[in-house]
Amino acid sequence: MTQGETGPFVFVSYTTQDEAWATWIASVLEGAGLAARVQVWDSLPGQNFVEWMTAQLAGAQWTVAVYSGAYFDSYWCTTEWTAALARRTLLPVRIEPVDPPAALRTLTWVDLFDLDEEQARERLLYAVGAQVLPRLAIFPGAAPATAATPPAFPGPKAGGSVA
């Protein structure tokens, strides 16, 4: 989003060590039609960083917090997540298996680590409401004693061709 544009946006809160994750997250969100603001792209040289960060936190529809060990060690990130928590706009995304501080443990988060790129993209988009996951389930109760065998699939078998 260029300077001067308005409208709903997602602010990505991260520490410098996690910049690659932050820009990937912002890119995925923008690819889904959401405006994303990320410091490395949107905080111009010469700007007052504290002023810029305050404006992002105040205007964000969501603040995506990129959870990592480095994130929770950062003074500035702590300032960002506490402000977003107070505004109820915090959307936690873990990029490594880290335990958040006690104040954040009641919030659900999205895990992006140990996934391939497509799985991570799906989880992230689901978390911001930009994608709906299929709601499929198998009946957990006992099957009836006289259950009929379902009809065979008439199409090609996996790896085969139609004869």
Side-chain angles (χ1 to χ4, degrees):
M1 175 171 274
T2 60
Q3 201 170 11
E5 286 185 59
T6 59
F9 65 91
V10 177
F11 174 56
V12 182
S13 170
Y14 68 99
T15 188
T16 305
Q17 292 92 320
D18 303 325
E19 189 172 283
W21 272 106
T23 55
W24 181 84
I25 289 168
S27 179
V28 168
L29 296 175
E30 289 187 345
L34 299 167
R37 301 216 181 137
V38 59
Q39 181 186 352
V40 68
W41 293 343
D42 300 307
S43 177
L44 301 175
Q47 270 187 315
N48 181 320
F49 168 72
V50 175
E51 222 173 67
W52 180 82
M53 180 183 63
T54 301
Q56 304 320 298
L57 290 163
Q61 179 179 359
W62 290 107
T63 295
V64 173
V66 182
Y67 281 14
S68 69
Y71 186 81
F72 293 119
D73 289 341
S74 166
Y75 168 82
W76 291 110
C77 293
T78 300
T79 301
E80 292 171 6
W81 71 254
T82 54
L85 183 64
R87 290 190 69 241
R88 298 180 184 213
T89 62
L90 190 64
L91 177 60
V93 173
R94 290 192 323 167
I95 59 167
E96 59 187 48
V98 63
D99 288 326
L104 298 176
R105 289 190 190 136
T106 60
L107 299 178
T108 55
W109 53 73
V110 177
D111 286 339
L112 300 184
F113 60 91
D114 293 337
L115 302 174
D116 66 32
E117 185 173 5
E118 188 54 35
Q119 291 171 321
R121 176 180 278 105
E122 286 176 7
R123 283 203 186 164
L124 180 61
L125 293 178
Y126 173 73
V128 296
Q131 182 168 322
V132 177
L133 297 179
R135 298 171 71 90
L136 304 174
I138 296 172
F139 178 65
T146 59
T149 305
F153 177 64
K157 297 202 183 314
S161 61
V162 177

